[in-house]
Amino acid sequence: MTVTLVVFGSILGLLALLLAYWTILTSMYPEKLNTSEIHTVTTADLWKLRLCRYRKGRTQGDPVFLVHGFNANQHNFTSPAGASLVDYLVAQGYDCWTIDLRGSRSSDPPFERYFSDITLDSHLCYDLPAAIHYICKTTHYDQVHWIGHSMGGSWLYAYAEHFGSAQLASGVTLGAPVGFEGVRKRPPFWAMWAAQHFPGFAGAVLRAYVPIGMLFKVTTALFPINIRNMHPKMGIGDFFNMLEDPPQQEIPELDFAMKHGVLRLLDDTLDVVASLHKVHLPLLAFAAPHDPFLSIERAQHLIEEWSHPEKRLIVLSKEAGCVADYDHCDIAFSREGATEVFAPIAEWFAQHPAAVRSRDAEEAQKIPVPMDNLQRENLLLGRLRDRIEALGDDGAVSETETEIPQEVAVIDPPLPEDTGEKETIAKQDVAEKSTAKKTATSKTTAKKAVTKKKTAAKKSAAKKTTAKKATPKKTVAKKKTPAKKKATAKKTAAKKSVAKKKITAKKAAAKKTT
């Protein structure tokens, strides 16, 4: 009995310590965003994703779309603050957009949809197209530059194969697996099992391990990084907020891909490795000698197979002139990242500028696109979810049920370059406004005339009704007046005869007495 109590007490004490440790971490390292332009993108299946915009003032350079890898979020590109890849590109005049894919803590599932529903196909079919469409529409560009780290680079290959590269000006991949062929180190079985069956617990354990790993400079197969090559400004809070819970259904999909060296999507109808030769896009790829997911040989083979003539591979190793041999994660935030990684990316974008949207394309965006049955069903489900959320406990509708908390940047529309075109547009605007005023005035006059007619009709009807009601009353009154007079005369005559009889009787009595 005593041993059982000791064991039970020890377990409770350990749990209390872990809870205290986790509480301290979450309070010490809250999430911080270095931008006020936070957008919410709604996908075709009604997931809401966070899309953050980083730019210098109100400038509108080429848009850059940054896609994070598996088990991570957008902080992969914004850390450390002031020395990140995003900070460097913004200083060069680029308009950077970072996304949190579904499954991140900032994402919001629609009504009766859950985090356990997420698959690899979900990102390809819904998240990425919605984000690119939103960026192009907001920035008035037809194309974006894509930067993908790890799985974010693999999404670039899959997206260009499935949707084409018309909306992409160029692509940059940082340690992106090419079908996971030649993977040298796989996560242990117990870690994969825990991530699949207890994703929330697995994500918390990984984040809780960050301070210990940084203190003792110990890395794991789940987070391969050369800590000695990490930027000195990178702190515990950067990694703590960068990591996410692993999506349950993606674990077995990635495990199969690493076992067989393939990456197949869309119910195995899209083989990413076999379709690489179809992609026609300028590509800049980075590879590291210690990267367990992409070998140097596989990266070189990728460049050889790439069909576009504008292609380049940069190997981040001491042999190639770098300060250190890079690993998988530190490609995005290394000590000399500004010169060895960020500067080549900016030069690559300058050599392949994005196309600005034409006026015809702007007008085409205003034409509504018909929805298919699935999109219509998802839209109805989303409206039902919003309606239910707007209901209070007593069933009353909230006053703000139609309000959606969302910070959206105000984009100044581009002005025409030609002065004559400006004057023509101004005259057209004045003409349209005057026509609208005349139309509104004529409509108001017509409404007033109809109202007057209705009022006159009501008055005449009221007069007729009053006359009809008054006539029978007068007739009855006339008929009743003679009858009343006759009755009164009869009563008066009767009274007079009674009075005469009384007087005659009194006189007769008086004579007898005499």
Side-chain angles (χ1 to χ4, degrees):
M1 184 66 178
T2 305
V3 175
T4 304
L5 290 175
V6 170
V7 172
F8 184 71
S10 301
I11 294 174
L12 288 180
L14 180 61
L15 291 175
L17 287 175
L18 292 176
L19 181 61
Y21 175 65
W22 180 255
T23 304
I24 292 172
L25 287 179
T26 54
S27 61
M28 288 180 62
Y29 306 112
E31 184 185 39
K32 296 179 181 179
L33 295 175
N34 300 323
T35 180
S36 59
E37 295 191 53
I38 305 171
H39 300 244
T40 299
V41 178
T42 303
T43 65
D45 60 344
L46 301 179
W47 275 76
K48 295 185 183 299
L49 309 178
R50 185 173 68 179
L51 192 66
C52 295
R53 187 180 193 182
Y54 298 82
R55 54 177 175 165
K56 184 190 295 184
R58 307 296 293 178
T59 58
Q60 287 190 350
D62 284 9
V64 180
F65 182 41
L66 298 100
V67 185
H68 61 79
F70 179 77
N71 210 44
N73 56 35
Q74 64 172 286
H75 293 289
N76 193 57
F77 301 107
T78 61
S79 302
S84 66
L85 172 58
V86 167
D87 292 321
Y88 184 91
L89 293 177
V90 167
Q92 301 297 316
Y94 290 98
D95 189 359
C96 295
W97 296 77
T98 57
I99 188 174
D100 288 333
L101 298 174
R102 68 179 65 195
S104 302
R105 293 186 294 274
S106 63
S107 61
D108 183 20
F111 181 62
E112 292 190 345
R113 297 291 188 273
Y114 308 97
F115 280 67
S116 57
D117 299 332
I118 301 171
T119 63
L120 295 177
D121 291 346
S122 304
H123 304 304
L124 176 62
C125 297
Y126 297 106
D127 298 357
L128 300 171
I132 290 177
H133 174 76
Y134 186 89
I135 294 171
C136 290
K137 183 179 179 180
T138 305
T139 60
H140 303 280
Y141 274 79
D142 275 331
Q143 295 177 322
V144 301
H145 299 283
W146 183 313
I147 299 179
H149 179 240
S150 188
M151 196 66 192
S154 301
W155 290 129
L156 169 62
Y157 305 144
Y159 181 92
E161 291 170 10
H162 184 59
F163 294 102
S165 56
Q167 290 184 299
L168 305 177
S170 68
V172 175
T173 58
L174 310 175
V178 186
F180 294 93
E181 184 178 348
V183 172
R184 298 191 297 270
K185 187 188 298 183
R186 290 175 52 205
F189 169 79
W190 61 266
M192 300 289 283
W193 183 89
Q196 182 178 355
H197 294 86
F198 306 100
F201 177 76
V205 169
L206 184 59
R207 289 195 291 274
Y209 175 78
V210 167
I212 301 173
M214 293 191 66
L215 178 63
F216 296 101
K217 298 186 182 302
V218 178
T219 61
T220 66
L222 300 175
F223 199 65
I225 181 175
N226 183 352
I227 293 183
R228 293 172 179 80
N229 186 40
M230 188 176 62
H231 196 281
K233 288 187 177 181
M234 287 291 292
I236 296 174
D238 295 317
F239 289 108
F240 185 80
N241 289 295
M242 183 188 304
L243 299 173
E244 293 283 350
D245 300 338
Q248 288 176 275
Q249 292 196 41
E250 293 186 10
I251 299 296
E253 291 179 300
L254 291 176
D255 187 47
F256 179 86
M258 286 186 284
K259 281 182 180 178
H260 300 86
V262 296
L263 180 58
R264 294 172 182 164
L265 305 171
L266 306 177
D267 296 329
D268 292 341
T269 59
L270 176 62
D271 190 331
V272 177
V273 178
S275 303
L276 283 174
H277 66 279
K278 300 179 182 178
V279 182
H280 194 71
L281 175 73
L283 177 67
L284 173 63
F286 288 85
H290 294 325
D291 193 333
F293 303 124
L294 177 67
S295 64
I296 302 299
E297 295 76 18
R298 188 68 188 96
Q300 292 173 343
H301 184 62
L302 165 68
I303 294 299
E304 293 173 359
E305 289 183 343
W306 202 255
S307 62
H308 198 282
E310 296 290 329
K311 53 187 178 180
R312 182 186 177 192
L313 173 65
I314 296 180
V315 179
L316 300 170
S317 63
K318 289 183 178 179
E319 185 179 351
C322 298
V323 296
D325 288 331
Y326 283 61
D327 207 322
H328 182 70
C329 296
D330 49 293
I331 299 177
F333 36 78
S334 61
R335 282 186 296 163
E336 298 297 329
T339 56
E340 296 177 350
V341 181
F342 305 164
I345 293 176
E347 293 174 4
W348 185 259
F349 290 163
Q351 295 170 7
H352 307 89
V356 182
R357 177 164 296 181
S358 62
R359 288 187 176 274
D360 293 338
E362 290 289 340
E363 292 298 326
Q365 286 293 325
K366 299 177 182 178
I367 301 175
V369 179
M371 294 186 293
D372 57 26
N373 292 333
L374 177 60
Q375 291 175 335
R376 189 178 294 106
E377 178 185 353
N378 289 329
L379 180 61
L380 293 175
L381 286 174
R383 288 178 177 174
L384 178 60
R385 190 276 304 268
D386 293 339
R387 180 71 177 177
I388 291 175
E389 289 180 350
L391 294 175
D393 295 336
D394 57 352
V397 180
S398 173
E399 295 179 358
T400 59
E401 68 172 295
T402 58
E403 295 180 3
I404 300 176
Q406 174 180 341
E407 296 183 30
V408 180
V410 179
I411 309 300
D412 299 328
L415 297 175
E417 298 180 358
D418 188 14
T419 308
E421 187 178 353
K422 289 182 182 179
E423 294 177 357
T424 304
I425 293 172
K427 289 179 181 179
Q428 289 177 356
D429 291 341
V430 172
E432 288 177 359
K433 288 180 180 179
S434 62
T435 304
K437 287 182 179 179
K438 289 180 180 179
T439 304
T441 305
S442 62
K443 287 182 179 179
T444 305
T445 306
K447 286 183 179 179
K448 288 182 178 179
V450 172
T451 305
K452 286 182 179 180
K453 288 182 180 180
K454 288 182 179 179
T455 305
K458 287 182 180 179
K459 287 182 178 179
S460 62
K463 287 181 180 179
K464 289 179 180 180
T465 305
T466 305
K468 287 180 180 179
K469 289 181 179 180
T471 302
K473 286 183 179 179
K474 290 180 180 179
T475 306
V476 173
K478 286 181 181 179
K479 289 180 180 178
K480 288 183 177 181
T481 300
K484 286 183 179 180
K485 286 182 178 181
K486 288 179 180 180
T488 304
K490 285 181 180 181
K491 289 181 180 179
T492 304
K495 287 180 180 180
K496 285 182 179 180
S497 62
V498 172
K500 284 181 180 180
K501 288 179 180 180
K502 287 181 179 180
I503 293 170
T504 304
K506 285 181 180 180
K507 286 181 178 182
K511 284 181 180 182
K512 288 180 180 181
T513 305
T514 304

